[in-house]
């Protein structure tokens, strides 16, 4: 590797915010979660992309991809459950066997798929209630770019000043979601604070329900993830 390549790698690392100890900490958190593989690329690939977003401090990307994972997984869970197909054993009729359930769920919205998962007892009443809260704030807020859903009525205290003189305004309390100039930093900070916990909620949903899409001989009971004071661990 020549000097130009080394400098370019350093620039890439700096751009991706992976040059300090906080990046190592984020990597350690994701390593603990993603060491478990489900061997289903339908959502394993997404899980790893979410992990990369988190390690590089791309928290809004992490949340947006977690939204995609939640929506994708709920549809797949219903498709596998209702079709009864848990592995590929015949290429000749595989498309036809999935045709009806694909039509039923591929265009369904998240609220409908969550309701259907509940009616099939694939998720508990408590799961449904918790996921509905995330659907409103995270899925709808980020997918529809609605700061009101993300930030709610969160307020901050502000002073308007000038570098050219010593004049400054009185302190004013403002609602972040009402002032576009304030929303970028506020949403970034909210994303940083919530990206990991949201991903763990969806990760635990998969761990609790994936057995419904596995052949009986291959069923594995996965331990759930919880956040502890020094990181994350399986419980």
């Amino acid at each position: 590797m020549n000097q130009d390549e080394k400098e370019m790698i350093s620039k890439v690392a700096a751009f991706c915010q992976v040059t300090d100890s906080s990046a190592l900490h984020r990597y350690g958190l994701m390593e603990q979660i993603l060491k478990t593989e489900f061997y289903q690329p339908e959502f394993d690939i997404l899980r790893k992309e979410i992990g990369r977003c988190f390690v590089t401090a791309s928290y809004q990307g992490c949340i947006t991809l977690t939204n995609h994972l939640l929506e994708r997984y709920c549809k797949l869970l219903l498709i596998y459950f209702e079709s009864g197909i848990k592995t590929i054993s015949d290429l000749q009729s595989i498309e036809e066997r999935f045709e009806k359930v694909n039509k039923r769920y591929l265009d369904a919205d998240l609220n409908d798929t969550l309701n259907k998962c509940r009616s099939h007892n694939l998720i508990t009443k408590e799961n449904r209630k918790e996921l509905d809260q995330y659907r409103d704030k995270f899925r709808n807020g980020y997918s529809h770019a609605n700061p009101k859903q993300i930030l709610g009525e969160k307020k901050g205290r502000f002073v308007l000043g000038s570098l050219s003189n010593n004049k400054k305004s009185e302190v004013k309390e403002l609602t972040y979601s009402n002032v576009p100039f304030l929303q970028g930093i506020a949403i970034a900070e909210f994303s940083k604070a919530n990206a990991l916990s949201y991903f763990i909620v969806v990760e635990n949903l998969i761990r609790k329900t994936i057995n419904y899409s596995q052949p009986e001989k291959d069923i594995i009971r996965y331990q759930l993830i919880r956040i502890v004071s020094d990181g994350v661990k399986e419980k």
Side-chain angles (χ1 to χ4, degrees):
M1 184 182 299
N2 60 41
Q3 188 60 33
D4 287 343
E5 289 174 326
K6 290 180 180 179
E7 289 179 2
M8 184 58 69
I9 289 174
S10 295
K11 288 179 180 179
V12 170
F15 180 78
C16 293
Q17 300 186 49
V18 291
T19 58
D20 58 18
S21 59
S22 63
L24 293 177
H25 176 66
R26 295 193 298 270
Y27 174 79
L29 294 174
M30 276 297 150
E31 184 182 37
Q32 276 293 105
I33 297 171
L34 297 178
K35 68 181 181 181
T36 297
E37 290 205 38
F38 302 119
Y39 302 102
Q40 295 196 27
E42 305 94 303
F43 43 86
D44 267 334
I45 292 171
L46 264 176
R47 292 170 67 235
K48 290 177 182 177
E49 289 188 11
I50 290 167
R52 292 187 194 104
C53 281
F54 184 77
V55 171
T56 60
S58 304
Y59 302 113
Q60 294 183 69
C62 184
I63 286 177
T64 302
L65 278 178
T66 302
N67 288 336
H68 181 35
L69 176 62
L70 173 60
E71 198 142 7
R72 175 74 173 141
Y73 179 73
C74 288
K75 289 180 179 181
L76 285 171
L77 183 60
L78 289 166
I79 288 169
Y80 291 147
F81 180 78
E82 291 193 10
S83 70
I85 303 171
K86 298 182 179 181
T87 188
I88 298 177
S89 57
D90 177 18
L91 292 179
Q92 296 301 317
S93 61
I94 190 71
E95 291 186 1
E96 291 81 1
R97 294 177 68 191
F98 277 120
E99 184 176 3
K100 286 186 178 180
V101 284
N102 279 341
K103 286 182 178 179
R104 191 176 300 145
Y105 292 118
L106 290 185
D107 288 330
D109 64 29
L110 183 57
N111 187 58
D112 290 340
T113 57
L114 288 173
N115 284 338
K116 201 66 177 177
C117 285
R118 177 69 192 111
S119 69
H120 281 314
N121 287 318
L122 300 176
I123 61 175
T124 66
K125 183 178 179 180
E126 291 72 24
N127 289 151
R128 177 67 183 90
K129 185 176 181 180
E130 179 182 36
L131 291 170
D132 209 39
Q133 294 173 343
Y134 283 101
R135 180 182 66 85
D136 286 340
K137 183 176 287 289
F138 291 85
R139 190 273 179 191
N140 293 344
Y142 284 79
S143 297
H144 299 305
N146 188 337
K148 181 74 75 173
Q149 287 181 293
I150 299 170
L151 301 172
E153 297 299 318
K154 184 179 179 181
K155 300 178 186 297
R157 293 166 61 82
F158 297 89
V159 173
L160 186 64
S162 172
L163 296 176
S164 60
N165 56 55
N166 293 323
K167 292 182 179 180
K168 62 180 182 179
S169 68
E170 295 182 359
V171 176
K172 174 71 175 178
E173 187 174 69
L174 299 172
T175 302
Y176 287 100
S177 60
N178 290 340
V179 185
F181 299 115
L182 306 178
Q183 293 163 8
I185 293 176
I187 292 174
E189 289 300 313
F190 176 89
S191 302
K192 181 179 180 180
N194 291 280
L196 179 62
S197 58
Y198 178 35
F199 175 54
I200 289 175
V201 167
V202 178
E203 173 75 10
N204 282 339
L205 170 69
I206 296 173
R207 292 181 180 224
K208 285 186 284 190
T209 60
I210 193 173
N211 59 289
Y212 292 116
S213 66
Q214 294 174 322
E216 286 191 18
K217 64 182 180 64
D218 296 327
I219 286 179
I220 299 173
R221 303 295 179 184
Y222 295 96
Q223 291 185 301
L224 302 184
I225 297 293
R226 64 188 177 98
I227 299 175
V228 294
S229 58
D230 59 345
V232 297
K233 63 167 36 179
E234 292 182 334
K235 59 180 178 180

